[in-house]
Amino acid sequence: MASNAPGTATARCHCGGVEVEANFPSRFCAHCYCWSCRTSHAAGVVTWIGFKRAQVRFVKGEDLLRPYESSRGTVRRFCGVCGTRFTFESSHGQWADEVHLPLALFVTPVDREPGVNSFPAERPAWAPFHAFADD
Ligand SMILES: [Zn+2]
Ligand SMILES: [Zn+2]
């Protein structure tokens, strides 16, 4: 793994054109089974790690990102070169000041493990599942 400044982690898209550095502490890390995440990422589950907007800095390639408004007030951005889904940002309530990044894009360690399942009722039966104490 690459090395980072203490208290930070790096995420990159598949082509490496987009890179962010996120400052700890993260806000949460969750497996999301909602229909919108699953179809947007073409995956059975998407694992997100959330940060306050001010904690996420684009090292390069923010201009490569293309926005897609997946629902009113919610924008998912993806790399225009390689197609990697990179950010989830929403103007709704608790998420208004946050940027959520797929945990899979991190190339250096983050400060927490997944700890919660979001929208488990929308999980396809074939998708992997891990129950947490709070479920
Ligand atoms: Zn890319
Ligand atoms: Zn979701």
Side-chain angles (χ1 to χ4, degrees):
M1 281 205 161
S3 60
N4 264 73
T8 72
T10 294
R12 290 193 196 105
C13 65
H14 182 81
C15 76
V18 185
E19 181 175 311
V20 305
E21 187 175 78
N23 292 312
F24 305 145
S26 59
R27 313 285 295 176
F28 70 88
C29 187
H31 297 309
C32 189
Y33 294 96
C34 84
W35 178 88
S36 199
C37 284
R38 287 189 296 102
T39 54
S40 177
H41 292 247
V45 57
V46 180
T47 305
W48 294 103
I49 185 163
F51 295 90
K52 287 291 185 188
R53 219 176 274 277
Q55 293 173 268
V56 174
R57 180 177 73 87
F58 279 87
V59 176
K60 62 175 179 174
E62 186 172 13
D63 58 320
L64 296 178
L65 291 178
R66 308 272 174 81
Y68 170 66
E69 190 170 25
S70 57
S71 61
R72 181 182 288 270
T74 295
V75 174
R76 297 169 186 266
R77 289 189 288 171
F78 60 96
C79 176
V81 176
C82 70
T84 295
R85 294 279 164 169
F86 212 108
T87 63
F88 170 100
E89 293 160 285
S90 177
S91 58
H92 298 303
Q94 70 202 72
W95 299 329
D97 192 36
E98 297 185 357
V99 178
H100 302 170
L101 302 167
L103 185 60
L105 303 188
F106 280 84
V107 294
T108 61
V110 297
D111 62 336
R112 75 177 69 218
E113 296 183 347
V116 66
N117 291 307
S118 300
F119 302 97
E122 296 184 36
R123 178 179 72 91
W126 51 263
F129 183 75
H130 174 79
F132 297 107
D134 294 344
D135 283 344

